[in-house]
């Protein structure tokens, strides 16, 4: 409940407090990433080098792309449980059709993005819970992936493999790629005038439609962008692994949701942060390496991932509270 | 620009929601240089009519003319293009966006390079114009703002102009979250805009606002316009009579002797600098006054939370507590439930027969309160959303009063409620108080303080004055609300 | 008010969302036996009902959590089931006299997981979906480390009890149906059930109406954990041994049956009958596809399309205005 006064002196004080809290909230994801890097550095200083980071972060590019895709959907108050098997399907298509028959491959991938837009349209028009629809789509994509590639195999197109193995000067390629992804998503969603409409559709859909904007169009665009990011993620993944498997990326669904949340995003209300989401994805990717360096027994590796997630979120809560009392 | 004095004219507007006829053939014309005050009980069809005018609701039947031209495909887009805007009762800002970004939502023209700066400047200038000294920043995120501040932004936004013209602004209960000072600023601005050629429709339950601001009054009842005429030809009593509701009332009730009953609540606001504390005894109605949002709701919540514990540091609450929410949507109603379930949820323990809740007992409780508080519905097992706002509020009263709570907290529950409902509830409150219940009543309406035995005036989160019944007057309350600031 | 009660009962049956899942289950069954020419029709029903009982128990667990409101979901159920199956088998140790102790241990393990979930959500203010997900990672590791080399078979009495049939219907399913009736009463006719629904509709209003919101949340997660634990033990009996991934398929299944059964994903409205209908429908569908002998890819594809088709046909929550 709102309690502060509308009388000027108090409200200025309040807004300054809010500013501080928002800043702190925005910096949190970066802090947790820094902490993980610091921990890795303390355990193994040599890991924090050009080659070490390239190696540890190699999978960060597809994860970051999938996370940004998930964020698009979360920005309009939906959740995409299907992105994991979708990335897997794209991988299978990339390792088969895109290599053997590039034209058909491209057409299939475009078709997949259109399918995502259709799913968004259906969710909006029938007022459906996205969790269930995308849960169904998870099976659909997985089934299609198995049909495309019944057994693990296939080969990445050479150009794609070459692209993912690019050596950028000074800064490792995954970091450059993550930066580019984050900045493009940030400018597109947070700075453009239409990005405002898209986020507004998550914050107060009724208000946005009363102002004369089409919610259907907004939802289709956001799902389309999610599909596009998913396609890029699948291609990037195959560029790294060089061969595909229908179940290669099933874990990306939960990874991407966790990444968005770690990055300061929320499930409802259109509150998302593209830069934060990319940082969240990097944090999750590095968490795996940290556990390796800590010589955690394989039995407890999974628990370690869960624990890191819990610790980071707990820290966020603590700092949020400190921010309130500051 | 057309020379026609009529901005918008509607004829024979009809709209039904299921079996309910919300609008039953309404004719209305708004001229330039005119502010029309629209009044009527809840459920009279005012809000539905405004939705039709704003294009957000398609009527079943209507002939709509704007500037003298018939508009067959009238809808949101056309309304925008023709310069008709509406400030809806339920706020329509996006809480996750900044003030400037919310301005952008309304203006397709705010695009391209530098749109953010232009949007900020636009809304800032309008805020300065409508609410001088508002202290708001265009970069503030709306969710960080108080509800009153949001309402200010929403109002200012409706008056901003870019590529599309602005001819008519509809304000539906615009002051529900504003304090007296900001409300006065708004009405002064409306008068200035109307002099400059704009048209306005003002909907309010506060007859004083209508009488003080509008040029013409339109009274609606049961989905029709029943009376219309120059404001000068009406006074308060005439308006109330035209609405066809309860008789006009003059506040005063039978004097109660100062209570000497048992102390039920004793609480000191957190930052109270002196020894003042709020004390409520058995059978008392205690008023919490002051400007909106100065700590009254906080105090009620502190009492509510303290009721669970026997002895908490700040407060002493000796009996069970129930709360009547002011903001029905966010604090009160369970939308998926029937009216009976919404009432029964306050008394789950008492409805138990054996291990299970008895639905017969629940029906009985609901029927009893339907009679006592006059909830207008054919069936208490219908969805709570089938009720009009005022009747939903009555159901929330029934929930609190039907429970075994001896202390009832009221968080400005009469916001946007029609006079008929109000009078029903006032009687009930006095009656329950006589029967020994204690009421803590936060209200922003001066009239309601006359029902209280004692009034605490709040300012900046603390008790600024403590008035006996005989000392309560508009002057004393406003004086205490504003002291030091001026 | 008797008139209203009659009107309520006379509501058209077709507007009940749970009805369609039963209709679906029967139509799928008819399609399957048409394909086989009537062969194995009865066996198919028996097998389906037995397996559906497990989905229904896990689905009811998920249903309570989902009803708590937007964002509430228990993703730790599969890991919970896996761990509980190991705990039950280890405590029972293949000995009939330890069956009750084993069941109790499995349920206790589930309750512990539920409490842990709640503590993460409450103390650390983590969204439930992430809290239960992180918890499930930790539980998986505990399961791996606890169940290392575990090769205990269920006691013969327990194995028999989970697969015995009366007139072609699994005993377990009969018990589960009886249990579901109790759950229905818990949901609609007790302060706890009403509170869950109230919190799901509007948590703030529930608090201000004087309901013990946090206690109800805690109990709901504990209940979900307990049902998950129970299901783990029963599954280990039915499949003649525990395994950590015994519960994996129930992550998606539990959510699917809740939603297909007409429980509102937005919270506040639950439907036990619907969970049963949806469980029968989904299990029958898989049985049919197996009968048809289709490939794994097609099976997944069809399952997904059916879930979507059902939800599209049922439609989302209608806006009242």
């Amino acid at each position: 409940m709102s309690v502060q006064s509308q009388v000027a002196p108090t409200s200025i004080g309040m807004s300054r407090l809010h500013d501080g809290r928002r800043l702190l909230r925005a910096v949190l994801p970066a802090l947790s990433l820094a902490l993980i890097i610091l921990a890795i550095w303390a355990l193994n200083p040599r890991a924090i080098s050009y080659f070490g980071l390239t190696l540890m972060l190699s999978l960060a590019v597809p994860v970051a792309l999938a996370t940004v895709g998930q964020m698009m959907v979360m920005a309009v108050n939906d959740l995409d449980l299907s992105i994991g098997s979708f990335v897997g399907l794209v991988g299978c298509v990339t390792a088969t059709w895109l290599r053997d028959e590039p034209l058909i491959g491209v057409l299939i991938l475009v078709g997949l993005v259109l399918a995502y837009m259709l799913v968004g349209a259906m969710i909006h028009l029938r007022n459906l819970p996205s969790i269930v629809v995308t849960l169904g789509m998870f099976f659909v994509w997985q089934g299609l992936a198995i049909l495309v590639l019944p057994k693990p195999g296939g080969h990445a197109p050479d150009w794609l493999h070459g692209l993912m193995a690019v050596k950028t000067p000074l800064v490792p390629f995954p970091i450059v790629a993550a930066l580019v992804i984050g900045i493009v998503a940030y400018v597109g969603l947070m700075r453009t005038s239409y990005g405002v409409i898209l986020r507004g559709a998550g914050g107060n859909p009724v208000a946005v439609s009363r102002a004369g904007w089409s919610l259907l169009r907004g939802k289709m665009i956001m799902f389309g962008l999610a599909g596009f990011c998913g396609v890029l993620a699948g291609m990037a993944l195959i560029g790294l692994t060089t061969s595909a498997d229908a179940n290669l990326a099933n874990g990306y669904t939960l990874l991407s949701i966790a990444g968005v949340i770690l990055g300061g995003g929320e499930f409802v209300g259109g509150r998302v942060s593209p830069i934060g989401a990319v940082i969240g994805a990097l944090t999750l990717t590095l968490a795996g390496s940290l556990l390796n360096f800590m010589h955690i027994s394989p039995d407890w590796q999974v628990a370690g991932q869960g624990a890191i997630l819990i610790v980071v979120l707990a820290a966020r809560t603590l700092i949020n509270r400190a921010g309130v009392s500051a | 620009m057309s020379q026609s004095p009529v901005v918008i004219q509607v004829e024979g507007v009809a709209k039904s929601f299921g079996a309910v006829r919300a609008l039953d053939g309404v004719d209305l014309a708004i001229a330039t240089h005119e502010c029309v005050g629209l009044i009527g009980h809840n459920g009279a069809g005012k809000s539905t009519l405004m939705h039709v005018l704003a294009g957000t609701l398609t009527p079943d039947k209507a002939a709509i003319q704007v500037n003298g031209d018939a508009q067959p495909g009238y809808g949101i887009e056309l309304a925008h293009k023709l310069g008709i805007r509406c400030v809806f009762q339920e706020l329509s800002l996006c809480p996750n966006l900044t003030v400037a970004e919310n301005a952008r939502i309304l203006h397709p023209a705010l695009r391209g390079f530098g749109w953010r700066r232009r949007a900020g400047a636009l809304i800032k200038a309008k805020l300065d114009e409508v609410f001088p000294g508002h202290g708001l920043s265009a970069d503030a995120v709306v969710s960080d703002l108080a509800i009153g501040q949001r309402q200010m932004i929403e109002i200012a936004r409706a008056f901003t102009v870019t590529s599309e013209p602005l001819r008519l602004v509809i304000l539906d209960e615009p002051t529900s979250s504003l304090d007296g000072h900001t409300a006065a600023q708004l009405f002064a601005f409306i008068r200035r805009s109307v002099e400059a050629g704009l048209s306005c429709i003002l909907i309010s339950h506060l007859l004083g606002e209508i009488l003080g601001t509008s040029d013409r009054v339109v009274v609606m009842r049961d989905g029709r316009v029943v009376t219309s005429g120059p404001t000068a030809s009406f006074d308060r009593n005439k308006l109330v009579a035209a609405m066809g509701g309860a008789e006009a009332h003059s506040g005063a009730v039978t004097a109660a002797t100062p209570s000497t009953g048992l102390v039920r609540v004793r609480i000191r606001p957190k930052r109270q600098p002196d020894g003042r504390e709020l004390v409520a005894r058995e059978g008392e109605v205690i008023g919490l006054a002051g400007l909106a949002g100065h700590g009254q709701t906080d105090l009620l919540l502190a009492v509510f939370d303290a009721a669970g514990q026997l002895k908490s540091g700040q407060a002493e609450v000796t009996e069970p507590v129930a709360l009547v929410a002011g903001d029905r949507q966010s604090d009160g109603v369970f939308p998926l439930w029937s009216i009976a379930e919404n009432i029964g949820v306050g008394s789950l323990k008492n409805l138990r027969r054996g291990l299970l809740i008895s639905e017969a007992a629940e029906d009985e409780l609901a029927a009893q309160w339907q009679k006592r508080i006059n909830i207008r519905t054919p069936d208490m097992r219908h969805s709570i959303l089938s009720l009009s706002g005022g009747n939903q509020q009555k159901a929330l009263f029934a929930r609190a009063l039907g429970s075994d709570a001896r202390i009832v907290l009221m968080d400005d529950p009469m916001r946007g409620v029609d006079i008929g409902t109000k009078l029903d509830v006032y009687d009930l409150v006095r009656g329950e108080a006589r029967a020994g219940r204690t009421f803590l009543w936060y209200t922003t309406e001066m009239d309601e303080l006359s029902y209280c035995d004692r009034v605490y005036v709040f300012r900046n989160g603390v008790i600024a004055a403590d008035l006996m019944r005989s000392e309560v007057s508009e002057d004393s309350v406003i004086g205490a609300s504003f002291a030091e600031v001026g | 008010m008797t008139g209203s009660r009659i009107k309520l009962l006379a509501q058209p049956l077709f507007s009940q969302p749970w009805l369609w899942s039963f209709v679906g289950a029967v139509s799928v069954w008819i399609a399957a036996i048409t394909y086989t020419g009537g062969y194995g029709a009865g066996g198919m029903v028996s097998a389906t009902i037995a397996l559906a009982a497990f989905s229904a128990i896990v689905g009811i667990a998920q249903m309570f959590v989902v009803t708590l409101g937007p964002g509430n979901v228990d993703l730790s159920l599969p890991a919970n089931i896996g761990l509980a199956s190991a705990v039950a088998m280890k405590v029972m140790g293949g000995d009939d006299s330890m069956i009750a102790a084993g069941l109790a241990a499995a349920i206790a393990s589930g309750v512990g997981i539920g409490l842990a979930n709640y503590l993460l959500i409450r103390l650390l203010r983590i969204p439930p979906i992430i809290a239960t997900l992180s918890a499930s990672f930790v539980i998986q590791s505990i399961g791996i480390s606890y169940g290392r080399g575990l090769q205990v078979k269920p006691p013969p009495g327990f194995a028999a009890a989970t697969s015995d049939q009366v007139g072609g219907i699994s005993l377990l399913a009969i018990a589960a149906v009886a249990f579901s009736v109790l759950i229905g009463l818990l949901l609609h006719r007790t302060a706890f059930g009403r509170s869950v629904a109230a919190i799901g509709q509007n948590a703030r209003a529930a608090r201000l109406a004087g309901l013990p919101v946090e206690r109800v949340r805690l109990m709901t997660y504990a209940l979900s954990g307990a049902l998950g634990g129970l299901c783990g033990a029963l599954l280990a009996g039915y499949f003649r041994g525990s395994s950590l991934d015994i519960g994996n398929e129930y992550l998606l299944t539990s959510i699917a049956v809740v939603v297909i059964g007409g429980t509102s994903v937005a919270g506040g409205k639950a439907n036990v009958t619907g969970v049963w209908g949806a469980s029968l429908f989904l299990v029958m569908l898989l049985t049919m596809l197996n009968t048809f002998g289709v490939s794994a890819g097609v099976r997944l594809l069809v399952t997904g399309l059916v879930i979507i088709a059902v939800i599209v046909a049922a439609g989302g929550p209608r806006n009242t205005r």
Side-chain angles (χ1 to χ4, degrees):
Chain A
M1 197 159 294
S2 56
V3 285
Q4 79 234 49
S5 140
Q6 292 139 20
V7 182
T10 18
S11 67
I12 287 170
M14 290 303 279
S15 79
R16 203 169 287 152
L17 180 65
H18 284 303
D19 282 349
R21 232 159 83 191
R22 199 170 324 112
L23 191 74
L24 213 59
R25 245 184 276 155
V27 175
L28 268 179
L31 270 179
S32 42
L33 177 63
L35 216 67
I36 292 233
I37 292 177
L38 217 68
I40 293 178
W41 180 78
L43 289 167
N44 189 345
R46 274 178 306 164
I48 308 298
S49 62
Y50 184 93
F51 289 105
L53 282 172
T54 308
L55 206 65
M56 286 190 296
L57 284 172
S58 63
L59 281 177
V61 178
V63 173
L65 284 166
T67 307
V68 169
Q70 182 71 260
M71 184 198 69
M72 298 292 175
V73 174
M74 280 168 76
V76 284
N77 299 342
D78 284 321
L79 208 55
D80 182 8
L81 297 185
S82 74
I83 192 137
S85 67
F86 181 76
V87 170
L89 169 60
V90 170
C92 291
V93 172
T94 305
T96 53
W97 290 99
L98 194 63
R99 178 194 168 91
D100 304 333
E101 300 277 351
L103 189 65
I104 297 180
V106 168
L107 282 179
I108 294 177
L109 293 180
V110 171
L112 288 177
V113 174
L114 290 179
Y116 246 81
M117 294 178 82
L118 268 181
V119 169
M122 194 167 68
I123 287 174
H124 177 77
L125 290 174
R126 296 285 292 160
N127 196 12
L128 303 174
S130 61
I131 295 188
V132 189
V133 176
T134 57
L135 181 67
M137 288 313 290
F138 185 95
F139 290 111
V140 171
W141 302 134
Q142 201 179 20
L144 287 175
I146 293 176
L147 291 176
V148 169
L149 192 68
K151 288 203 183 87
H155 282 286
D158 294 329
W159 59 269
L160 187 57
H161 182 57
L163 179 68
M164 292 308 291
V166 155
K167 294 227 178 336
T168 42
L170 296 173
V171 184
F173 172 70
I175 295 182
V176 175
L179 263 176
V180 171
I181 296 165
I183 289 172
V184 169
Y186 174 78
V187 171
L189 195 59
M190 310 301 281
R191 302 301 298 183
T192 64
S193 57
Y194 195 69
V196 170
I197 307 299
L198 292 171
R199 283 183 293 131
N204 189 344
V206 177
V208 170
S209 87
R210 273 183 189 163
W213 301 97
S214 160
L215 291 178
L216 173 65
R217 193 171 135 195
K219 199 146 266 196
M220 286 177 73
I221 288 177
M222 287 309 241
F223 271 80
L225 286 172
F228 181 67
C229 290
V231 165
L232 294 183
M235 290 173 60
L237 184 59
I238 295 308
L240 291 165
T241 60
T242 68
S243 75
D245 169 1
N247 294 316
L248 192 58
N250 286 356
Y252 275 36
T253 294
L254 298 178
L255 217 52
S256 63
I257 298 173
V260 176
I261 298 292
L262 272 184
E266 284 169 31
F267 285 101
V268 288
R271 290 194 179 82
V272 292
S273 153
I275 305 274
V278 170
I279 292 177
L282 294 180
T283 310
L284 285 171
T285 315
L286 283 180
S289 305
L290 176 64
L291 294 173
N292 271 328
F293 287 126
M294 287 167 77
H295 302 293
I296 307 264
S297 106
D299 280 6
W300 293 95
Q301 286 266 352
V302 202
Q305 277 182 1
I308 287 183
L309 209 55
I310 292 172
V311 167
V312 171
L313 287 170
R316 171 162 137 188
T317 310
L318 281 178
I319 298 177
N320 258 350
R321 277 190 204 164
V324 173
S325 57
Chain B
M1 288 280 136
S2 162
Q3 285 302 305
S4 163
V6 173
V7 175
I8 186 167
Q9 180 171 12
V10 293
E11 275 169 7
V13 184
K15 177 76 190 173
S16 299
F17 296 102
V20 182
R21 286 197 81 104
L23 292 178
D24 191 9
V26 173
D27 301 339
L28 186 68
I30 309 290
T32 48
H33 284 292
E34 185 179 43
C35 175
V36 173
L38 184 61
I39 60 169
H41 281 183
N42 282 320
K46 308 181 299 284
S47 291
T48 311
L49 180 62
M50 294 309 106
H51 275 285
V52 170
L53 290 179
T56 48
L57 200 64
T58 313
D60 302 335
K61 212 173 75 188
I64 299 176
Q65 287 190 350
V66 180
N67 292 334
D69 306 322
Q71 304 288 348
Y74 194 74
I76 293 180
E77 279 171 38
L78 211 47
H80 274 257
K81 215 171 283 166
L82 295 169
I84 292 163
R85 306 256 182 85
C86 187
V87 176
F88 295 100
Q89 208 172 343
E90 60 278 30
L91 298 182
S92 40
L93 297 173
C94 297
N96 58 329
L97 302 183
T98 65
V99 174
E101 287 172 336
N102 269 291
R104 147 71 183 147
I105 298 262
L106 197 64
H107 293 287
L110 288 172
R111 54 192 294 200
F113 192 73
W115 68 267
R116 188 176 290 271
R117 191 177 31 78
R118 280 181 281 136
L122 181 73
I123 189 75
K124 187 87 187 193
K126 193 55 78 174
L127 275 167
D128 289 341
E129 194 183 339
V130 186
F131 304 109
H134 53 83
L136 290 163
S137 149
D139 295 327
V141 174
V142 168
S143 60
D144 291 341
L145 302 177
I147 185 146
Q149 293 174 315
R150 293 185 203 188
Q151 199 160 28
M152 288 158 70
I153 291 161
E154 174 128 25
I155 292 167
R157 186 179 72 158
F159 285 96
T160 52
V161 181
T162 51
S163 58
E164 289 161 342
L166 183 62
R167 297 206 175 88
L168 169 67
V169 177
I170 301 163
L171 298 148
D172 193 352
E173 296 287 348
T175 58
S176 57
S177 303
L178 298 185
D179 55 49
H181 176 62
T182 19
Q185 286 182 328
L186 170 64
F187 292 129
F189 175 77
I190 292 178
R191 284 315 317 170
R192 289 203 301 276
S193 307
V194 169
E195 305 308 328
L198 198 70
S199 304
C200 262
I201 298 178
L202 176 64
I203 301 179
S204 177
H205 278 114
L206 301 176
L207 302 183
E209 294 182 354
I210 298 284
L211 291 170
T213 312
S214 63
D215 301 303
R216 186 156 69 89
V217 179
V218 173
V219 183
M220 285 186 75
R221 184 165 71 204
D222 300 332
R224 292 169 196 224
V225 172
V226 287
T227 315
S228 152
T231 307
S233 65
F234 286 98
D235 63 14
R236 195 186 173 83
N237 291 343
K238 257 192 185 159
L239 285 180
V240 173
M243 284 191 286
E247 300 296 302
H249 67 102
S250 56
V253 274
T254 48
T257 48
S259 170
T260 51
L262 290 170
V263 173
R264 288 257 175 84
V265 178
R266 186 189 294 279
I267 185 166
R268 236 161 62 89
K270 223 183 250 162
R271 279 177 312 205
Q272 188 74 32
D274 48 26
R276 275 212 187 103
E277 53 183 11
L278 182 148
V279 178
R281 294 167 187 277
E282 187 181 344
E284 273 188 331
V285 179
I286 302 294
L288 278 61
L291 297 178
H294 271 247
Q296 298 95 331
T297 300
D298 270 357
L299 186 103
L300 291 183
L301 290 180
V303 172
F304 186 82
D305 289 336
Q309 307 127 32
L310 265 183
K311 196 91 182 174
S312 79
Q314 183 198 4
E316 178 190 335
V317 182
T318 60
E319 295 274 345
V321 164
L323 182 135
V324 184
D327 187 340
R328 285 186 294 280
Q329 256 76 41
S330 78
D331 299 351
V333 160
F334 296 112
L336 298 177
W337 275 353
S338 68
I339 308 161
E341 282 172 308
N342 264 287
I343 294 173
V345 72
S347 318
L348 290 177
K349 270 195 196 109
N350 298 336
L351 295 176
R352 226 163 35 198
R353 303 283 178 272
L355 277 174
L356 299 176
I357 291 169
S358 153
E359 295 188 2
E362 192 170 63
D363 284 340
E364 199 182 307
L365 178 77
Q368 178 195 337
W369 281 95
Q370 180 179 19
K371 224 174 288 160
R372 276 196 68 180
I373 206 168
N374 193 16
I375 297 173
R376 272 172 227 164
T377 176
D379 189 337
M380 295 294 277
R381 282 281 163 188
H382 282 178
S383 161
I384 182 98
L385 297 183
S386 68
L387 296 179
S388 70
N391 277 302
Q392 287 183 21
Q393 195 66 51
K394 284 183 185 173
L396 295 186
F397 269 101
R399 180 195 293 168
L401 298 176
S403 76
D404 49 16
R406 303 305 296 158
I407 303 167
V408 177
L409 313 175
M410 305 203 284
D411 181 23
D412 202 7
M414 300 304 188
R415 258 182 260 167
V417 170
D418 62 284
I419 284 187
T421 302
K422 282 180 181 174
L423 293 183
D424 285 351
V425 170
Y426 296 153
D427 286 347
L428 196 69
V429 167
R430 288 308 323 178
E432 290 287 322
R434 268 195 299 278
R437 271 198 155 127
T438 304
F439 288 83
L440 293 189
W441 186 353
Y442 163 40
T443 171
T444 47
E445 289 179 31
M446 200 58 70
D447 287 353
E448 295 180 348
L449 293 177
S450 62
Y451 291 90
C452 300
D453 298 310
R454 198 182 180 97
V455 172
Y456 292 87
V457 183
F458 280 72
R459 192 175 65 235
N460 290 331
V462 301
I463 299 172
D466 165 6
L467 306 172
M468 294 301 293
R469 178 197 199 74
S470 52
E471 302 165 323
V472 173
S473 70
E474 199 151 345
D475 286 347
S476 61
V477 171
I478 289 180
S481 309
F482 278 104
E484 283 178 60
V485 174
Chain C
M1 299 311 291
T2 41
S4 74
R5 176 79 53 239
I6 290 162
K7 212 184 296 165
L8 199 71
L9 287 174
Q11 258 178 12
L13 203 57
F14 296 103
S15 68
Q16 301 292 331
W18 51 266
L19 185 76
W20 294 106
S21 44
F22 284 97
V23 171
V26 173
S27 353
V28 170
W29 176 66
I30 292 171
I33 57 174
T34 312
Y35 179 81
T36 62
Y39 176 77
M44 224 180 275
V45 173
S46 303
T48 300
I49 290 178
L51 278 175
F54 297 110
S55 304
I57 295 174
V58 188
I60 287 170
Q62 192 70 269
M63 177 192 77
F64 270 100
V65 175
V66 167
T67 305
L68 272 183
N72 281 291
V73 65
D74 187 351
L75 296 185
S76 70
L77 277 170
N80 176 0
I81 292 171
L83 178 62
S85 76
V87 168
M89 290 307 101
K90 208 163 190 171
V91 171
M92 289 183 193
D95 180 356
D96 272 346
S97 67
M98 293 296 284
I99 291 178
L103 276 177
I107 292 174
S109 133
V111 170
I113 289 167
L115 295 180
N117 282 333
Y118 174 77
L119 286 181
L120 288 178
I121 295 166
R122 172 90 175 124
L123 293 183
L124 302 185
R125 307 264 175 92
I126 303 178
I129 194 167
I130 297 290
T132 54
L133 172 68
S134 329
S136 87
F137 286 158
V138 178
I139 301 162
Q140 271 175 35
S141 281
I142 296 174
I144 293 173
S145 142
Y146 177 83
R148 184 167 291 286
L150 188 74
Q151 272 297 331
V152 187
K153 292 227 167 295
F158 187 59
T162 49
S163 43
D164 267 359
Q165 297 187 343
V166 179
I169 298 189
S170 123
L171 257 181
L172 187 69
I174 295 171
V177 168
F179 180 69
S180 303
V181 173
L182 292 181
I183 288 286
L185 288 175
L186 177 70
L187 190 63
H188 299 292
R189 300 283 301 280
T190 66
F192 169 71
R194 290 283 183 98
S195 303
V196 171
I199 293 167
Q201 293 174 61
N202 186 340
R204 188 178 161 82
R207 181 172 92 83
L208 294 178
L211 301 176
V213 173
E214 288 309 326
R215 201 193 319 151
V216 170
R217 277 202 178 120
L218 173 116
M219 284 164 68
T220 306
Y221 277 93
L223 177 68
S224 167
L227 289 175
L230 175 69
C231 190
L234 296 176
L235 276 170
Y238 187 80
F239 287 114
R240 305 289 184 269
S242 74
S243 122
L244 280 180
D245 46 17
I246 204 167
N248 280 7
E249 63 170 297
Y250 290 106
L251 176 60
L252 301 184
T253 307
S254 66
I255 299 175
V257 296
V258 164
V259 177
I260 294 177
T263 293
S264 163
V265 184
K269 197 178 84 190
N271 190 330
V272 183
T273 325
V275 168
W276 268 96
S279 301
L280 288 170
F281 172 64
L282 273 189
V283 176
M284 189 57 96
L285 185 71
L286 286 175
T287 316
M288 178 187 81
L289 292 174
N290 282 332
T291 319
F292 291 177
V294 299
S295 76
V298 175
R299 203 168 59 221
L300 286 164
L301 190 64
V302 172
T303 314
L305 288 177
V306 162
I307 291 179
I308 293 173
V310 167
I311 193 76
V312 170
R318 297 268 178 278
N319 291 331
T320 31
R321 245 194 202 186

